[in-house]
Every structure is written in C-alpha cells, then in structure tokens.
Amino acid sequence: MSTEARYDRMLRDAALRVTRPRRAVLAAVHAHPHADAETVMTAVRRDVGAVSHQAVYDVLRALTDAGLVRRIQPPGSPARYESRVGDNHHHLVCRSCGAIADVDCAVGEAPCLTAAEHHGFEIDEAEVVYRGLCPRCAAAPVS
Amino acid sequence: MSTEARYDRMLRDAALRVTRPRRAVLAAVHAHPHADAETVMTAVRRDVGAVSHQAVYDVLRALTDAGLVRRIQPPGSPARYESRVGDNHHHLVCRSCGAIADVDCAVGEAPCLTAAEHHGFEIDEAEVVYRGLCPRCAAAPVS
DNA sequence: GGCATTTCTTGACTCGTTCCAGAATGACCG
DNA sequence: CGGTCATTCTGGAACGAGTCAAGAAATGCC
Ligand SMILES: [Mn+2]
Ligand SMILES: [Mn+2]
Ligand SMILES: [Zn+2]
Ligand SMILES: [Zn+2]
C-alpha cells in the first residue's frame, strides 16, 4: 500500500472525509515531526498548491481531535504537531533554539508519574518536559 | 519586620529600586498564587490606586528576570505568576477550569528526573505538569 | 445525477502581550 | 539637599497565533 493510500485509510478509519488538504497536512505532519502550523502550511503548499490558512488550522484541529496527530504547546512558541500518538512519550526542549526531541516514556502509558499530593485532583496525565541546550546550541560560541 | 519592609528588602537585594508599583505587584503575587497579569493588576490598583497597564507588565518582567517571581505559561491560558521560587515544585492543572495547585517535588532541585535518552542535550530541568480535573470540576454535573 | 452535508475560502477579529515616544516622576547616591 | 538616571505614565499602535463568520464549493451517498 502506498503512503498516500495509507493516509487515506487513516482518515477514513477516523471517520473523516478524504480531501486534498487533509491528506497533505497529514503527510506534512508525518514528514516534519514537531513542526508548527506555519511550517506545515508551507510544506502542504509546496506539495499540493494553494491551501488556505484557515483550512490548515481546521484540518490540524480535526486531525488532533480525531487522535491522528498530537498537539504540543511549548510556552513561548507556537503549537507544534506530531504524528507519534498514543505512546505517551515526552519531550526535550532546547532553551535557546526551541528544538524538540522525543524521549520515550519508561512507563509508556498515562499517567506515568504519581504526584506526592494530589489535592483532590483526578489526575489522568503526567507530562514531562526536559529543558536544556541541544547539542548545536551547547556547542555554539557564547552569543 | 513588617511584610512591606520584607518586600522592600527583597527588591533591594535583587538590585531593584523600591517603587510603589513594584512593592504592590510583589505583594499581589504573594497574595494571589498563580494569578494572571489581569488579576495582579486589579489587586495592585485596589491596593495602591492607579498603576498603568505597562507598569504592571514591566514590573512582572523585572521581578521575573530578577528571580523574585516565577512565570508559568499554561497552554491556552494567559501567563500566571507565583512567588514560590527556587524550590523546583511542580503543578497540577485542571483541564476544565484551569485551576492550578502546587505539588512538591520529591527531589527538590532541578533536574529531578533523568531522561532515558538525552540525544546530546544538556538537560538542566525536568518540568512535570499533572493534568486532570480539580475537585470542583470532577464533582460538577456533566456540562 | 441530485441533494444534503461537510469543507473550504476570505477576511475580519480576538486576546494577551509588547513596543513606542515623549514627558513626568521619584529613588538613591553623594 | 541636589543631581541624575531609572522608572513610570499616557495613550496609543502593533504583534503573532489562532479563531470566527458567512457564503461558495466540494464531497459522500443513494
Ligand atoms: Mn514528540
Ligand atoms: Mn506553584
Ligand atoms: Zn538549540
Ligand atoms: Zn477545575
């Protein structure tokens, strides 16, 4: 089965109609892990031509709601999207350039940590973000 | 030592001039943990009268840069500010109403977790966000 | 092919925050 | 007590990321 056919299948299985923008956005998210909407939009347009700003946002939302993509919202940077879903993995974020890398979760399913005091909250997820410098930024001369 | 005098001291120790807005913002952040800028602004004005929008934002930035307050940026809600700094504590966030509660860190200093694979990153902090429903929202009838 | 449903386009608009300029204020040092 | 320079004020405008609204177009289904 071709990659394209696989994306079509994923959309149909999620009860989503197969459209050119949807296929292209899904492909772009797969091709560019942790890309922001802007990057997805550029990739989509290079791939299939004109697609509106709004269509990209709508599709990203539909795919996110359907669980086909995951939205990550690092403070101070636009939302990022990725195709690795359902494995409860975590992220490494570079303080300097914003680069993001995946870190497998030791446990693999949410919530993978338990809070000391839960204050009555019903906790269903523990998100871990490791912050530091990526190899490139660590090596770079002091700016 | 009065509370006010203690805030003055904190400001001076951070090499910040002691001004009415600064003292008031610092007090407001202490009085309202995890409050957003808007809430801080309202509290400050109730306390000392007219203070400009920018002054509040400027002061919050100055205090944050000086390490006297910590800024938290929950996705999808405006930035929150708190006076608990330097203890590497974590947060419980309500998915429904955005309420935030503190969770002590078992370790107490960053980074309190170690990533399985670090991909060459120099990690200096591991931030944990527990997500779920606060007691009130969990008890609330299905909306 | 026809029709109802869903999706796309266009463009305005929101929100929280930052930037701007010039004038006024007032903290702190000597 | 000055002088000086950081800080604040006033009143805007502008920002970036994302959302809303209304109508046009496309699609799935029979
Ligand atoms: Mn990832
Ligand atoms: Mn806290
Ligand atoms: Zn980097
Ligand atoms: Zn709640």
Side-chain angles (χ1 to χ4, degrees), chain A residues 35-103:
Chain A
D36 59 15
E38 176 66 32
T39 304
V40 169
M41 208 174 316
T42 306
V44 163
R45 286 172 178 161
R46 198 178 305 119
D47 184 13
V48 301
V51 175
S52 75
H53 171 81
Q54 189 56 22
V56 173
Y57 275 102
D58 284 352
V59 170
L60 283 172
R61 165 180 299 260
L63 297 182
T64 303
D65 290 349
L68 293 182
V69 315
R70 174 176 168 196
R71 174 188 288 120
I72 310 166
Q73 283 156 283
S77 101
R80 314 294 195 95
Y81 298 87
E82 68 177 344
S83 55
R84 255 184 91 174
V85 296
D87 65 346
N88 195 56
H89 72 274
H90 303 303
H91 293 106
L92 231 35
V93 180
C94 176
R95 273 186 203 293
S96 173
C97 71
I100 298 185
D102 287 332
V103 186

Side-chain angles (χ1 to χ4, degrees), chain A residues 95 124-125 127 129 131, chain B residues 95 124-125 127 129 131:
Chain A
R95 273 186 203 293
D124 59 61
E125 184 195 358
E127 182 184 350
V129 177
R131 255 175 256 288
Chain B
R95 275 186 202 293
D124 58 61
E125 184 194 357
E127 182 183 350
V129 177
R131 255 176 257 286

